[in-house]
Amino acid sequence: MGSALTRRLVDAGHRVTILDSLLAQVHGETPEETSALLTSVSSIADVHVGSVTSEDDLRAALGGATIVVHLAAETGTGQSMYEIDRYVQTNVGGTGKLLDLLANESHSVRRLVIASSRSVYGEGAYIAQDGSTVFPPHRSSAAMEAGDFDVHLTPGDALTLVPTPETALLHPSSVYGITKQTQEALIMTAAPALGLESVALRYQNVYGPGQSLKNPYTGILSIFSTLIRQGKEINIFEDGLESRDFVYVDDVVEATFLACVEPHAAGHTFNVGSGVQTTVREVVEGLFRAFGTEVPVTVSGNFRLGDIRHNVADTSRIRDVLGFAATVPFDVGIRRFVDWVRTQPLESDGYERSIAEMAERKLLK
């Protein structure tokens, strides 16, 4: 998303500096030679290769900046559960270093925009049988092993999913979610104390051209697309009825742009999503239609500890405050995504390795 946001900002007349570690897991081993995304921005932005965990790298990138869009994070719910130190050091430690520099050194920054995540909610909002809004606890391994993948307050009760608002309980179910909640809290607490404007964007499941096809730890559209291109079987976890709020990258870029430039965005936390629930089975069916081919599918009942059941965002606040609403429906976005995927090299399959890593640590059942 960073490259698309760079082009949007440059088109609007802004000068952009990028700090990116070019992590091999996301960009491949030789991104300076192979990354079309890097090439697309290297001529229009000042690109620094470095890490948010380095004060020197942060200091060099901050020179002259007035707005900081903090997108840097290790991503991957499952991987975060066993590479805990790396996720905490990058996501939390890097944010702490950024704020420390802004607190103690001269700079020109006036606004911080933090890329938060729907993962901060854990299981989101539901309506109980008595009509009250509830935020269920995390699902138990024992219940899921017995084939019950739904969320409950008490065994056997019936809850109805509703869009999750920004005022919902924050109770992340993974290390990744905890680090995103901490990032957000650090920015939204420290920035105003430092005289800076702050905006938090809780991105839902962002997808579209430009997302990493190399990273086997996150992004089911990328993972499933690679399996389809390889003619391999797709293993759908749980019962395939788990759902997410998929939001197209162009919509996310526009929401982020507004968070950067609109005066009345300051101080707000916004969900950025489509407000539409899409199941994993619907994702697979959409990919088959877009590719015009199918591969074998198994609905296995496997599950990952730390995953949530459902997710759909209440997007009324960002609509009311910034006038933003997602414009690209999933059936259109997935066709655009597949059209782009067809132009990309077929990546080696690291997905099976990532699954084996989780199973070895008993995080995949």
Side-chain angles (χ1 to χ4, degrees):
M1 196 200 82
S3 58
L5 178 61
T6 295
R7 292 189 292 273
R8 178 69 177 91
L9 288 165
V10 169
D11 288 345
H14 296 270
R15 291 174 49 230
V16 176
T17 299
I18 299 169
L19 174 63
D20 198 313
S21 64
L22 299 181
L23 187 69
Q25 179 174 304
V26 177
H27 297 280
E29 296 296 335
T30 57
E32 293 89 346
E33 301 171 10
T34 61
S35 173
L37 295 177
L38 180 61
T39 301
S40 73
V41 297
S42 58
S43 63
I44 61 173
D46 184 11
V47 179
H48 293 243
V49 178
S51 172
V52 292
T53 62
S54 163
E55 288 187 359
D56 290 340
D57 292 344
L58 283 169
R59 190 177 288 115
L62 285 172
T66 57
I67 301 169
V68 174
V69 184
H70 185 3
L71 301 174
E74 300 284 358
T75 61
T77 299
Q79 188 183 42
S80 78
M81 301 295 283
Y82 57 90
E83 294 204 22
I84 298 169
D85 183 62
R86 179 161 74 96
Y87 274 70
V88 172
Q89 290 296 327
T90 300
N91 299 3
V92 179
T95 303
K97 278 188 166 55
L98 169 64
L99 289 167
D100 198 75
L101 285 176
L102 295 176
N104 293 292
E105 298 186 9
S106 177
H107 62 83
S108 54
V109 176
R110 58 178 177 79
R111 177 174 291 195
L112 291 174
V113 179
I114 176 66
S116 186
S117 166
R118 53 104 182 148
S119 64
V120 301
Y121 296 121
E123 297 292 351
Y126 288 76
I127 299 296
Q129 290 173 301
D130 64 3
S132 62
T133 300
V134 296
F135 305 100
H138 309 317
R139 297 176 294 169
S140 74
S141 178
M144 291 191 285
E145 285 178 345
D148 181 4
F149 300 111
D150 288 324
V151 294
H152 303 283
L153 293 177
T154 59
D157 64 3
L159 301 178
T160 302
L161 179 72
V162 293
T164 301
E166 292 87 351
T167 54
L169 175 69
L170 304 185
H171 60 145
S173 60
S174 66
V175 171
Y176 171 70
I178 292 169
T179 66
K180 296 306 290 184
Q181 181 184 1
T182 306
Q183 274 190 316
E184 178 185 317
L186 284 168
I187 295 291
M188 300 303 285
T189 301
L194 299 175
L196 305 175
E197 297 174 345
S198 56
V199 187
L201 301 176
R202 292 176 182 163
Y203 295 147
Q204 309 302 300
N205 285 65
V206 183
Y207 75 101
Q211 73 183 79
S212 175
L213 300 176
K214 298 178 173 66
N215 190 348
Y217 299 95
T218 186
I220 64 169
L221 271 80
S222 294
I223 292 167
F224 289 170
S225 293
T226 298
L227 293 173
I228 291 169
R229 296 177 78 192
Q230 293 173 331
K232 293 184 177 180
E233 180 180 69
I234 292 175
N235 176 10
I236 296 180
F237 290 175
E238 301 186 18
D239 56 6
L241 299 179
E242 62 273 28
S243 64
R244 299 293 184 266
D245 182 333
F246 291 94
V247 57
Y248 192 66
V249 62
D250 290 359
D251 286 325
V252 177
V253 165
E254 190 59 25
T256 308
F257 176 78
L258 293 173
C260 291
V261 303
E262 287 294 333
H264 40 287
H268 281 289
T269 298
F270 298 109
N271 285 332
V272 180
S274 66
V276 177
Q277 176 188 5
T278 303
T279 70
V280 173
R281 291 192 189 198
E282 290 171 332
V283 168
V284 172
E285 291 165 1
L287 286 170
F288 285 168
R289 287 193 297 271
F291 275 108
T293 190
E294 298 185 8
V295 296
V297 174
T298 296
V299 181
S300 65
N302 293 140
F303 61 91
R304 300 189 308 178
L305 297 180
D307 274 354
I308 63 168
R309 178 60 168 168
H310 297 299
N311 171 65
V312 63
D314 181 336
T315 58
S316 56
R317 179 184 290 179
I318 195 169
R319 181 189 65 237
D320 294 344
V321 176
L322 298 183
F324 169 82
T327 61
V328 181
F330 186 69
D331 61 336
V332 173
I334 200 168
R335 288 198 301 271
R336 294 179 184 174
F337 170 70
V338 167
D339 287 345
W340 171 77
V341 167
R342 292 180 188 278
T343 70
Q344 303 303 302
L346 182 58
E347 299 297 338
S348 60
D349 186 10
Y351 179 62
E352 292 175 0
R353 182 188 71 249
S354 72
I355 293 298
E357 289 176 0
M358 294 199 67
E360 181 181 347
R361 293 164 174 84
K362 303 187 187 310
L363 295 168
L364 175 70
K365 303 291 186 175

